Amino acid sequence: MRDGTGAGEARRAHRTGLRAHRPGARGHLAGPRARPAGPQARHRSGPGVHAGAWWLWALALGTGATRTTNPLLLALLLTVSGYVVVTCRPNTPSARSYSAFLRLALAVLVVRLFFAVALGSPIPGTHVLLTLPEVPLPHWAQGIRLGGRVTAEALLFALYDGLKLAALLICVGAANALAAPARLLKSLPGALYETGVAVVVALTFAPHLVADGRRLRAARRLRGRPDRGVRGLLHVGLPVLEGALERSVALAAAMDARGYGRTAEVAPAVRRTTAALTLGGLLGVCAGTYGLLTAEGGSYGLPVLLAGVAAALAGLWLGGRRSVRTRYRPDTWNPRSCLVAGSGAAVAALLTLAAARDPQALHPGVVPLTAPGLPVWPAAAVLLGLVPAFVAPADAAARKDAPDASRKGSREDARKDAREESS
């Protein structure tokens, strides 16, 4: 037995040595070929884009979409956002949610057109497309009608209005695809740490509840028990709530073991200054926003808004001194992030300026019925949103290709090991 065991150990040692000295094998003897190359190395060499930069870019494009009802400009803006998403989104589960936002935007557009057909529109028109049976309504429902004439002008106005809302939803979907909300919440200032953790926990637990419900319903179906109706809901809901409670208790114990909720000692003067700056900054933001939205406050709205934002940021910075936490691999602002956020801000600013100087081009009329034109310099302003596609595609491509390359290499090594073991 000892001879057989020794021979077996010798053969295994011999195979291990062959694998260790094989060119490209894994291990400390593999030489320089063991270092990852290609897309994975490119990903490590270049810093990524900050999550806040992606959200600022997408929300700025959404702000620009609210400044126009021109379908050509809105279609160009949707094309720009879609191209950037396809080029720059990472290979993560949240990046696949862009198609869901596209379907939601299409549903919103269809619902808006349905309401224009069924409930009518205040837009007068002479081009009647069809006439629906009109339902008589009581006198207290004056101004509302069901059915009646459907004109091309009313449908076109509803299409323009629904397309603007759909563009806003798609821009939010682009932000969610390019940078997950949980990644954005990790960059919150220290003063909002508890709020960010609560939101992240809520976003994490919701998919688990759905998965638990599906699993329990499938188990009841396999046992021949009802999984629908009030009875099925009661039998499925109680185990789901029990599992969520157990998961919450385990999470609370883990957070307590890691020191969650511990704060540093700060001077009373710093606490009072923090509260005054934060409260005053929020009041200034509210007053400045009200001034910008009203015609009378146009002179003081912007200065008050900027002063309020500055005071609120100072209060959050001082409040962050109470937090003693550290961040694991925090996102950092770099020139690429500034270019991404700046391109979106430029699109929003230029479209806002164009809406003020040439409202007819950005808000084409429907009475009389005319075809909308494409204004040149607003369209060029929308094309500035393509900057992220040229600034940030390298790390996105690396994130897409690196997992595939590593999986391919691991499969090839596994096949070689299996062949050697069989021989």
Side-chain angles (χ1 to χ4, degrees), residues 42-395:
R42 290 198 301 269
H43 171 56
R44 291 175 179 172
S45 62
V49 179
H50 195 279
W54 285 122
W55 278 84
L56 288 176
W57 172 83
L59 294 179
L61 259 64
T63 303
T66 61
R67 302 300 178 184
T68 178
T69 56
N70 191 318
L72 300 180
L73 283 178
L74 290 174
L76 182 61
L77 193 144
L78 294 179
T79 304
V80 167
S81 64
Y83 181 77
V84 172
V85 168
V86 171
T87 306
C88 303
R89 64 178 173 180
N91 190 14
T92 57
S94 62
R96 305 185 187 99
S97 62
Y98 186 67
S99 59
F101 280 90
L102 289 177
R103 291 192 292 268
L104 178 61
L106 182 61
V108 167
L109 186 60
V110 171
V111 169
R112 182 66 181 89
L113 291 175
F114 174 76
F115 283 164
V117 172
L119 303 179
S121 176
I123 302 299
T126 58
H127 298 78
V128 180
L129 299 178
L130 70 157
T131 302
L132 299 176
E134 188 170 355
V135 179
L137 297 176
H139 66 279
W140 50 265
Q142 292 181 357
I144 303 175
R145 66 178 178 85
L146 295 177
R149 298 190 310 163
V150 179
T151 61
E153 290 84 354
L155 276 182
L156 198 61
F157 177 79
L159 177 64
Y160 291 173
D161 193 42
L163 190 60
K164 180 173 66 173
L165 182 57
L168 182 59
L169 289 174
I170 291 175
C171 289
V172 175
N176 192 78
L178 293 167
R183 181 184 162 200
L184 179 65
L185 290 170
K186 288 171 58 178
S187 304
L188 284 177
L192 303 177
Y193 170 57
E194 288 83 1
T195 305
V197 170
V199 175
V200 169
V201 169
L203 292 175
T204 305
F205 270 39
H208 288 294
L209 292 178
V210 175
D212 289 346
R214 291 178 177 175
R215 178 175 54 83
L216 290 170
R217 290 183 61 186
R220 290 185 62 84
R221 285 196 299 268
L222 289 175
R223 293 180 175 90
R225 297 176 181 175
D227 62 320
R228 299 180 182 275
V230 178
R231 184 179 177 183
L233 180 62
L234 292 176
H235 286 84
V236 171
L238 291 178
V240 168
L241 292 178
E242 182 181 358
L245 181 60
E246 292 179 355
R247 196 179 296 115
S248 301
V249 172
L251 178 63
M255 293 170 67
D256 183 69
R258 288 166 175 80
Y260 175 75
R262 299 176 185 176
T263 57
E265 291 292 336
V266 295
V270 175
R271 289 201 300 268
R272 288 192 290 268
T273 305
T274 301
L277 285 175
T278 305
L279 182 59
L282 293 177
L283 291 176
V285 169
C286 294
T289 305
Y290 177 78
L292 290 177
L293 294 177
T294 58
E296 294 80 5
S299 58
Y300 70 86
L302 184 60
V304 173
L305 178 62
L306 294 178
V309 170
L313 290 178
L316 292 176
W317 178 75
L318 286 177
R321 298 176 63 181
R322 295 176 61 249
S323 177
V324 293
R325 68 189 181 100
T326 58
R327 291 192 178 112
Y328 177 69
R329 292 183 180 178
D331 288 341
T332 57
W333 281 88
N334 47 43
R336 300 169 69 186
S337 302
C338 295
L339 285 174
V340 169
S343 64
V347 172
L350 291 176
L351 285 182
T352 302
L353 181 62
R357 290 193 172 185
D358 192 6
Q360 295 295 329
L362 269 71
H363 299 278
V366 295
V367 180
L369 201 60
T370 56
L374 181 64
V376 178
W377 73 271
V382 173
L383 292 178
L384 290 176
L386 288 172
V387 170
F390 302 97
V391 172
D395 61 335

